[in-house]
Amino acid sequence: MSELPEPSAWFTEHFGEYSQRVMLALANAGRAAHERSLDAKTGSQLATNEAYGSFWVSLPEEVVAHLDFLPGHEVIRPAGSRYDLIVFDGTLIFPAKCGRGSCAVDRIRLGQSGLRRRVFSLEDNTVSVRQEQLDFDFSLDNDLDAALKDGSFGSATRVVLIAYDASARGGLQHVYVGDAALDSSGLVTWRYREELPLRLLDGEGTALAGLGELAARFDDAPLPESDLTLRSTSELLSGEDDETDTTGTGTEGEPNGRP
């Protein structure tokens, strides 16, 4: 296995000597959740992706399982939550799948829920944001402070977001980690972020991308190399007698040969 990347100052602040193991664990958790969801889709025999939608509930389970090595960690089940979360050294680690409408790292949207609003209220300290959140109907009651003090967040005093961009067709594509706020529409505002290098899954080390660097888009990808080359006049003349193969391939009329 190649050497893991050096953790950033942010990772070291949150996870200390365990930073590299945490980076690898978060990447592996995303891959495991994708594989479980893909198995669910295959087993359902549905042409649609409803079964793959189980990713959002498989993901927290995998994150808790993969971070089990953290000493002194807490596994909590916040009031109203359908899954466990993990707290380490006062930090609530909150994994979530990028929702519909997410089109770039700075335009990530999460599905809205009372739980998520309460989770992110751990980071929202301004009066304006807190008042905006109070406008929602919480499942516990309408008092944000009471919801936060119900004890179900354990020792957590802050939250980090782990945003996973994954799909049944594309697989696990991006994993973003950092400090974030959530507005009333579900739009994520990053205060700080890094993108985990998915080469971690192959044991290859590479540098992490910081917030100050150019932000990658979901649709970023290297352009394919073309096999086309210029042909000489003699090559063109020698190929004039070649016949084009017109044998059917079973994909006629289908773009890019895909069903």
Side-chain angles (χ1 to χ4, degrees):
M1 177 180 292
S2 301
E3 184 178 355
L4 293 174
E6 283 298 316
S8 66
W10 182 91
F11 250 100
T12 302
E13 176 189 350
H14 287 76
F15 302 106
E17 62 184 291
Y18 305 101
S19 295
Q20 289 180 316
R21 292 181 66 185
V22 169
M23 293 190 306
L24 182 58
L26 292 175
N28 276 316
R31 178 171 64 180
H34 165 70
E35 291 174 349
R36 285 176 59 180
S37 301
L38 200 59
D39 286 345
K41 172 179 168 60
T42 301
S44 72
Q45 300 185 16
L46 294 173
T48 55
N49 284 327
E50 277 85 352
Y52 185 83
S54 62
F55 183 96
W56 73 273
V57 72
S58 299
L59 180 61
E61 292 182 0
E62 293 296 340
V63 169
V64 169
H66 281 78
L67 293 179
D68 185 63
F69 64 87
L70 289 172
H73 72 273
E74 300 173 73
V75 176
I76 63 172
R77 175 72 65 96
S81 175
R82 295 176 58 185
Y83 45 79
D84 291 339
L85 296 170
I86 193 167
V87 178
F88 173 69
D89 195 23
T91 297
L92 175 64
I93 300 166
F94 189 75
K97 184 181 185 297
C98 299
R100 292 182 179 180
S102 301
C103 57
V105 63
D106 288 320
R107 300 296 299 176
I108 291 176
R109 293 187 182 276
L110 303 183
Q112 299 182 56
S113 71
L115 170 66
R116 287 178 175 177
R117 290 189 292 271
R118 289 190 294 118
V119 164
F120 282 95
S121 67
L122 291 171
E123 288 289 314
D124 294 334
N125 297 316
T126 64
V127 174
S128 60
V129 176
R130 288 169 68 88
Q131 184 59 49
E132 179 184 39
Q133 291 176 324
L134 282 169
D135 292 337
F136 289 94
D137 180 20
F138 287 98
S139 58
L140 297 178
D141 54 46
N142 290 326
D143 188 336
L144 175 60
D145 290 328
L148 291 177
K149 294 176 182 177
D150 64 5
S152 62
F153 286 103
S155 63
T157 58
R158 59 184 179 180
V159 60
V160 298
L161 173 64
I162 321 296
Y164 290 82
D165 174 28
S167 66
R169 175 173 291 185
L172 184 63
Q173 300 170 57
H174 302 277
V175 181
Y176 300 107
V177 183
D179 302 318
L182 193 66
D183 72 11
S184 58
S185 70
L187 181 66
V188 172
T189 299
W190 295 102
R191 297 188 181 107
Y192 175 85
R193 73 160 185 271
E194 299 178 3
E195 181 174 1
L196 292 183
L198 294 186
R199 297 179 193 175
L200 285 169
L201 299 176
D202 301 321
E204 299 179 13
T206 187
L208 291 171
L211 182 60
E213 299 178 24
L214 182 62
R217 294 183 56 86
F218 285 5
D219 56 358
D220 278 351
L223 293 175
E225 295 183 3
S226 174
D227 292 331
L228 298 177
T229 57
L230 293 176
R231 301 176 62 184
S232 65
T233 303
S234 58
E235 290 176 320
L236 291 172
L237 292 175
S238 63
E240 285 180 348
D241 294 332
D242 293 342
E243 294 184 0
T244 302
D245 183 5
T246 58
T247 304
T249 62
T251 60
E252 289 81 355
E254 297 169 355
N256 299 323
R258 292 195 295 268

